Amino acid sequence: MNETKQKILNAALDLFSQNGFSAVSIRDICKVVDIKESSVYYHFKNKQAILDELLQHFESIATDLMSQLEQALSTTQKTFEVNLFKKICDCFFEKYLMDEYCNKIMRLLSIEHFSNDEMQKIYDYWIFDKPLNFQTKVFSLLVSVGIIKTADSKYLAVKFYAPIYLFMQRWLFCGTLTDEHKQFFRENAYKHINNFFKEMAGI
Amino acid sequence: MNETKQKILNAALDLFSQNGFSAVSIRDICKVVDIKESSVYYHFKNKQAILDELLQHFESIATDLMSQLEQALSTTQKTFEVNLFKKICDCFFEKYLMDEYCNKIMRLLSIEHFSNDEMQKIYDYWIFDKPLNFQTKVFSLLVSVGIIKTADSKYLAVKFYAPIYLFMQRWLFCGTLTDEHKQFFRENAYKHINNFFKEMAGI
Amino acid sequence: MNETKQKILNAALDLFSQNGFSAVSIRDICKVVDIKESSVYYHFKNKQAILDELLQHFESIATDLMSQLEQALSTTQKTFEVNLFKKICDCFFEKYLMDEYCNKIMRLLSIEHFSNDEMQKIYDYWIFDKPLNFQTKVFSLLVSVGIIKTADSKYLAVKFYAPIYLFMQRWLFCGTLTDEHKQFFRENAYKHINNFFKEMAGI
Amino acid sequence: MNETKQKILNAALDLFSQNGFSAVSIRDICKVVDIKESSVYYHFKNKQAILDELLQHFESIATDLMSQLEQALSTTQKTFEVNLFKKICDCFFEKYLMDEYCNKIMRLLSIEHFSNDEMQKIYDYWIFDKPLNFQTKVFSLLVSVGIIKTADSKYLAVKFYAPIYLFMQRWLFCGTLTDEHKQFFRENAYKHINNFFKEMAGI
DNA sequence: GATGAATGAGTGTTCATTCAT
DNA sequence: TATGAATGAACACTCATTCAT
């Protein structure tokens, strides 16, 4: 892709994820990229088009990761459960929640989903519905193979995901995404996951 | 308080909670209150002052409610646990999370905490730290009196609060605060609480 | 009416009538009125609203003049024909075609009616249809009282009005409306009218 | 001529004649021709140069037609009057007023002559002065050979041309040049011409 | 208490044009 | 021949704020 266009996208993502779409002006972006405002309109139809391209790219990444997970889930047999778990850690935590690009988009969605219907939809889908649905399927599997006794896999998914979501909001979606914050998130999240499965096994 | 001033505060809160502080103009507020823009400046130094007064009012409410809870906690003895539970439901759920005023402020904080340091602090304190701390104390009590075996009350607090927080974000802080959304939240939250204490008792 | 608002309307009319609506910027108007651009938006919702107010004022003037003429026509009897003729000269020529305000609007319409549907309608109505209709009625009357033999009053109206329309375009709607141009128009128009009625009488 | 250049000229004429010169952007033209904006500047020095070339072409066409008419007039003798009449219908009506190219230019001139001195001159010359002058000469001839009694051939020219000019404005220079409009014009114009000469003969 | 009037700074966007390739 | 990339100047419009009344 064109170099300037990519710079604009990068700068826009940085700024949007920190202040939201509407609070960032074309001028702000241009200051970072060091081009004139009119030049932006060579690469993008309008401000919204920058956002659209960022969101579209995010959705293609997220779609890909999620389909990898679905794939892993559908091919999982008793003996491969460990692999599924590893895949979830890799695709959902590292490459999704903690990935710099995805994370910035999520913070942007967190800001704008209040006043923008389209972003509300994307937010709900990728932050709530999709993860919870997938995790529900995972727990259904664990129930069906007898690892877990409880039948309400939907509630299990909430119990599993809610603390992670809380840590996300606490450490990943606040201010600048520092390594420190990332570390806080990782520690708390993994501690929770371990505890969760320990208790699960206990039941 | 002056009637017009109160009208301005009400209109501002409505609009701020739906679109965020910076996305709402003085014009927008005045359209609702049916006054001229310059009149606002008789009652408030500037736009920020409206926000400040709203936040201050929220903090006084929240402080009061929380101190009621702390009070209830400190006077709780074995026999009064049910009263404490009722108090939490009343002061934390009904009068705090689901109270119209508090809820609007929280949604406003949810929007603006990304780009505003002061609101970030208020958000973290009243949405994360304060509730989690209080609930940690409650679980400590329950442990100390032998109702609960597990010792990690901090993690218990997260496990208890995180689903509620997720439901808040899902049903209370999205779009307009309809009775339907409130009902969704209430159902899901209370179902979780009941399940939580059932499991707790089981352990 | 507010003084500044009136100044804006005057300046806008001057500029619009010379260059057309879209070729005139808010800046241009402000330079003339000596106010800042943002001040315009205190008095008018947007640029279009200035135009709308000008057109509306024109239409109220024109409506009034035309209803005076219709009135005069309906009360005309054989002996009052001279009065009707005088009324037409006064209301149609002096106060309509050659009136400064109306004339400027007509020139503006002449420019913009090509690319603006609403203005096309106004142009057609006030420049073509209304005058031709009225004049057709006048000739019908003259036929009915036996002054004129020919029955095709519609064509008579065209023959009467077309040269006037041509002189309008030639002298009134070109460049600045100077007294010289006005005089050219008046001379040619009245010469035509006299000739026209002389021939009429002859037939 | 270069193919692309011709395409640009065609597209420009279409657009200019509908919206005027300044309301049409290089972008608009390029969208039609399907080239990039910068390419235009290979063929033309600037936007104005496109207009100049269009106008120049029109003037050469018009000059040619008019000199044909002058030629026809100068060689006309009593017996050839019918041929002159036919020539006028052909060269002035069909190939000039109703010719697609000329018509578009005339509409463009009609729009821009208000704010552009050069186009004002061209407009006056080719729409008013030249036709009226020629027709004056024709009527002088008709007077000199005794067909017409009246001596004021200038006024005769106006009486002849003004209705045609009015029909032009009414049917040819408004909106898109449809066949329907063309037909309206033709009917009304020829009806006028016939009537005109009938009356003439009668006198 | 309230408002009419004004304004400086800023916003997204369009446009004709240039120039190296 | 054509275009990718850039830009300065302009545009309509918004906004928070001020101040005299």
Side-chain angles (χ1 to χ4, degrees):
Chain A
M1 197 189 313
N2 180 290
E3 199 191 335
T4 302
K5 187 175 181 181
Q6 193 55 55
K7 278 187 194 168
I8 294 171
L9 285 169
N10 293 342
L13 182 56
D14 281 347
L15 293 166
F16 288 167
S17 70
Q18 287 199 27
N19 306 301
F21 175 70
S22 37
V24 172
S25 74
I26 296 282
R27 268 168 184 63
D28 293 332
I29 298 169
C30 289
K31 258 176 238 154
V32 174
V33 184
D34 195 31
I35 53 171
K36 303 300 166 186
E37 292 147 57
S38 50
S39 303
V40 169
Y41 292 86
Y42 175 75
H43 300 282
F44 298 93
K45 197 190 130 213
N46 52 27
K47 194 187 168 191
Q48 181 67 39
I50 304 176
L51 176 60
D52 290 343
E53 203 151 322
L54 289 171
L55 291 178
Q56 198 192 311
H57 183 50
F58 165 74
E59 291 202 89
S60 79
I61 291 176
T63 302
D64 178 53
L65 288 171
M66 284 298 167
S67 75
Q68 281 186 47
L69 286 177
E70 302 275 2
Q71 177 75 14
L73 180 64
S74 70
T75 61
T76 291
Q77 299 173 342
K78 251 186 178 168
T79 47
F80 298 143
E81 276 142 27
V82 180
N83 287 334
L84 175 62
F85 182 74
K86 275 184 190 163
K87 191 78 185 169
I88 291 175
C89 289
D90 182 48
C91 285
F92 187 68
F93 286 89
E94 300 299 331
K95 288 186 180 151
Y96 186 61
L97 297 186
M98 298 182 72
D99 173 73
E100 207 185 335
Y101 188 90
C102 292
N103 196 275
K104 281 176 184 168
I105 293 283
M106 287 175 196
R107 284 150 81 198
L108 164 55
L109 290 168
S110 294
I111 301 174
E112 294 293 328
H113 81 105
F114 291 97
S115 45
N116 182 313
D117 282 346
E118 201 213 336
M119 296 180 84
Q120 165 84 20
K121 275 181 202 157
I122 301 176
Y123 184 82
D124 282 351
Y125 185 75
W126 289 109
I127 303 284
F128 289 131
D129 298 341
K130 191 76 191 173
L132 281 171
N133 275 343
F134 175 72
Q135 282 150 26
T136 302
K137 283 191 209 157
V138 172
F139 287 115
S140 292
L141 176 76
L142 296 181
V143 167
S144 75
V145 299
I147 292 180
I148 293 177
K149 297 270 147 54
T150 329
D152 191 350
S153 23
K154 216 168 188 175
Y155 179 50
L156 275 177
V158 168
K159 287 205 293 181
F160 175 75
Y161 184 54
I164 294 164
Y165 175 71
L166 189 148
F167 296 142
M168 264 159 65
Q169 296 286 343
R170 194 81 181 87
W171 306 119
L172 298 182
F173 296 173
C174 68
T176 325
L177 184 61
T178 61
D179 283 341
E180 200 194 0
H181 280 179
K182 256 181 155 170
Q183 198 49 34
F184 270 122
F185 170 75
R186 202 192 304 264
E187 274 174 29
N188 279 285
Y190 282 116
K191 200 165 15 164
H192 161 65
I193 296 169
N194 286 331
N195 271 315
F196 189 85
F197 281 105
K198 229 179 279 170
E199 286 178 17
M200 206 100 292
I203 299 176
Chain B
M1 195 192 310
N2 181 292
E3 199 192 335
T4 302
K5 187 173 180 181
Q6 192 56 54
K7 277 187 194 165
I8 294 171
L9 285 169
N10 293 341
L13 182 57
D14 279 347
L15 293 165
F16 288 168
S17 71
Q18 286 203 26
N19 307 301
F21 175 71
S22 38
V24 172
S25 71
I26 297 280
R27 255 200 248 322
D28 295 330
I29 297 170
C30 289
K31 252 177 245 155
V32 174
V33 184
D34 196 29
I35 53 170
K36 302 298 167 186
E37 290 144 80
S38 48
S39 304
V40 169
Y41 292 84
Y42 175 78
H43 299 283
F44 298 93
K45 199 192 129 211
N46 54 26
K47 194 185 167 191
Q48 179 67 39
I50 304 176
L51 177 59
D52 290 343
E53 205 151 318
L54 288 171
L55 292 177
Q56 198 191 311
H57 183 53
F58 164 75
E59 291 201 89
S60 79
I61 291 175
T63 303
D64 178 53
L65 288 171
M66 284 299 169
S67 74
Q68 281 186 46
L69 285 177
E70 300 276 0
Q71 178 74 15
L73 180 64
S74 69
T75 61
T76 291
Q77 298 173 344
K78 249 186 179 170
T79 49
F80 298 144
E81 275 144 25
V82 178
N83 288 332
L84 175 61
F85 182 73
K86 277 183 189 163
K87 191 79 186 169
I88 291 175
C89 289
D90 183 49
C91 285
F92 188 67
F93 285 90
E94 300 299 331
K95 289 187 181 152
Y96 186 62
L97 296 187
M98 297 182 72
D99 172 74
E100 209 185 333
Y101 188 91
C102 292
N103 194 276
K104 282 176 184 168
I105 293 284
M106 287 174 194
R107 284 149 82 198
L108 165 55
L109 289 167
S110 293
I111 302 173
E112 294 292 330
H113 81 104
F114 291 97
S115 46
N116 182 314
D117 283 346
E118 198 213 338
M119 296 180 84
Q120 164 84 21
K121 274 181 203 159
I122 301 176
Y123 184 82
D124 282 352
Y125 184 75
W126 289 109
I127 302 283
F128 289 132
D129 298 343
K130 192 75 191 174
L132 281 171
N133 275 341
F134 175 73
Q135 282 150 26
T136 303
K137 282 190 209 160
V138 172
F139 287 115
S140 292
L141 176 75
L142 296 180
V143 167
S144 74
V145 297
I147 290 179
I148 294 177
K149 299 268 150 52
T150 328
D152 191 350
S153 25
K154 217 168 186 173
Y155 179 50
L156 274 177
V158 167
K159 286 205 293 182
F160 175 74
Y161 184 56
I164 294 164
Y165 175 72
L166 188 148
F167 295 141
M168 265 160 63
Q169 296 285 343
R170 196 80 181 85
W171 305 118
L172 299 182
F173 297 173
C174 67
T176 324
L177 183 60
T178 61
D179 283 340
E180 201 194 359
H181 280 179
K182 255 180 155 171
Q183 198 50 32
F184 270 123
F185 171 74
R186 203 192 302 265
E187 275 172 30
N188 280 285
Y190 282 116
K191 202 165 18 166
H192 161 64
I193 296 170
N194 286 331
N195 272 315
F196 189 83
F197 281 105
K198 230 181 279 173
E199 287 178 16
M200 205 100 293
I203 298 176
Chain C
M1 196 191 313
N2 181 289
E3 200 191 333
T4 303
K5 188 174 180 181
Q6 193 55 56
K7 278 188 195 165
I8 294 171
L9 286 169
N10 293 342
L13 181 57
D14 280 347
L15 293 165
F16 288 167
S17 70
Q18 287 200 28
N19 306 301
F21 175 71
S22 38
V24 173
S25 74
I26 296 283
R27 267 171 186 60
D28 294 331
I29 297 170
C30 289
K31 256 176 239 152
V32 175
V33 185
D34 194 31
I35 52 171
K36 303 299 166 188
E37 291 148 57
S38 49
S39 303
V40 170
Y41 292 87
Y42 175 75
H43 300 282
F44 298 93
K45 198 190 130 216
N46 52 29
K47 193 186 168 191
Q48 179 68 38
I50 304 176
L51 176 60
D52 290 343
E53 204 152 319
L54 290 171
L55 291 178
Q56 197 191 309
H57 184 51
F58 164 74
E59 290 202 89
S60 79
I61 291 175
T63 303
D64 178 54
L65 288 171
M66 284 299 166
S67 74
Q68 282 186 47
L69 286 177
E70 301 275 1
Q71 178 75 14
L73 181 63
S74 68
T75 62
T76 290
Q77 298 175 342
K78 251 186 178 171
T79 47
F80 298 144
E81 276 143 25
V82 179
N83 288 332
L84 175 62
F85 183 74
K86 277 184 187 163
K87 191 79 185 169
I88 292 175
C89 289
D90 182 49
C91 285
F92 188 68
F93 286 89
E94 300 299 331
K95 289 187 181 151
Y96 187 63
L97 296 186
M98 297 182 73
D99 172 74
E100 208 185 334
Y101 188 90
C102 292
N103 195 275
K104 282 176 184 169
I105 293 285
M106 287 174 194
R107 283 149 82 197
L108 165 54
L109 290 168
S110 294
I111 301 173
E112 293 293 330
H113 82 104
F114 291 98
S115 46
N116 181 314
D117 283 344
E118 200 212 337
M119 296 181 84
Q120 165 83 21
K121 275 180 203 158
I122 301 176
Y123 183 82
D124 282 351
Y125 184 75
W126 290 109
I127 304 283
F128 289 131
D129 299 341
K130 191 77 192 173
L132 281 171
N133 275 342
F134 175 73
Q135 283 150 26
T136 303
K137 283 189 209 160
V138 172
F139 287 115
S140 292
L141 176 76
L142 297 180
V143 167
S144 74
V145 296
I147 291 181
I148 295 177
K149 298 269 148 52
T150 328
D152 191 351
S153 23
K154 218 168 187 175
Y155 179 50
L156 275 178
V158 168
K159 286 205 294 182
F160 175 74
Y161 184 55
I164 295 164
Y165 175 72
L166 188 148
F167 296 142
M168 264 160 64
Q169 297 286 345
R170 195 77 181 89
W171 306 118
L172 299 183
F173 297 172
C174 67
T176 324
L177 183 61
T178 61
D179 283 340
E180 199 194 1
H181 280 180
K182 256 181 156 170
Q183 198 50 33
F184 270 123
F185 170 75
R186 203 192 304 266
E187 275 173 31
N188 280 285
Y190 281 116
K191 200 166 13 166
H192 161 64
I193 295 168
N194 286 330
N195 272 315
F196 189 84
F197 281 104
K198 228 180 281 173
E199 288 177 17
M200 205 101 292
I203 298 176
Chain D
M1 194 189 315
N2 179 294
E3 198 191 337
T4 302
K5 188 173 181 181
Q6 193 55 54
K7 277 187 195 166
I8 293 171
L9 286 169
N10 292 342
L13 181 56
D14 280 347
L15 293 166
F16 289 167
S17 70
Q18 286 203 25
N19 308 301
F21 175 70
S22 39
V24 172
S25 72
I26 298 280
R27 257 199 244 328
D28 295 330
I29 297 169
C30 290
K31 252 176 244 155
V32 175
V33 185
D34 196 30
I35 54 170
K36 302 299 167 187
E37 290 144 78
S38 48
S39 305
V40 169
Y41 292 83
Y42 176 78
H43 300 283
F44 299 93
K45 195 192 134 212
N46 53 27
K47 195 185 166 190
Q48 180 66 40
I50 304 175
L51 177 60
D52 290 344
E53 204 150 322
L54 289 170
L55 292 177
Q56 196 192 309
H57 183 52
F58 164 74
E59 291 201 89
S60 79
I61 291 175
T63 302
D64 177 54
L65 287 171
M66 284 300 167
S67 73
Q68 281 186 48
L69 285 176
E70 301 276 2
Q71 178 74 16
L73 180 64
S74 69
T75 61
T76 291
Q77 297 175 344
K78 251 186 180 172
T79 48
F80 297 144
E81 276 143 27
V82 179
N83 288 332
L84 175 61
F85 182 75
K86 277 184 189 161
K87 191 78 185 170
I88 291 174
C89 289
D90 182 48
C91 286
F92 186 67
F93 287 89
E94 301 299 330
K95 289 188 181 150
Y96 187 62
L97 296 187
M98 298 182 72
D99 172 73
E100 208 184 334
Y101 188 90
C102 292
N103 194 276
K104 282 177 184 168
I105 293 284
M106 287 175 195
R107 285 151 81 199
L108 165 54
L109 290 168
S110 293
I111 302 175
E112 295 292 330
H113 81 104
F114 292 97
S115 45
N116 183 312
D117 283 346
E118 199 212 338
M119 296 179 85
Q120 165 84 22
K121 274 181 205 157
I122 301 176
Y123 184 82
D124 282 351
Y125 184 75
W126 289 108
I127 303 283
F128 290 131
D129 298 344
K130 192 75 192 173
L132 281 170
N133 276 342
F134 175 73
Q135 282 151 25
T136 303
K137 282 191 210 158
V138 172
F139 286 116
S140 292
L141 175 74
L142 296 181
V143 167
S144 74
V145 297
I147 290 179
I148 293 176
K149 299 267 147 53
T150 328
D152 191 350
S153 26
K154 217 169 188 175
Y155 178 51
L156 274 177
V158 168
K159 287 205 293 181
F160 174 74
Y161 184 55
I164 294 164
Y165 175 72
L166 189 147
F167 296 142
M168 264 160 65
Q169 296 285 343
R170 195 83 181 84
W171 306 119
L172 298 182
F173 297 172
C174 67
T176 323
L177 183 60
T178 62
D179 283 341
E180 200 194 0
H181 279 180
K182 257 181 155 170
Q183 197 50 31
F184 270 121
F185 170 74
R186 202 191 303 265
E187 276 173 30
N188 280 284
Y190 281 115
K191 200 167 13 168
H192 162 63
I193 296 169
N194 285 331
N195 272 316
F196 188 86
F197 281 104
K198 229 179 279 173
E199 287 177 18
M200 206 101 290
I203 299 177

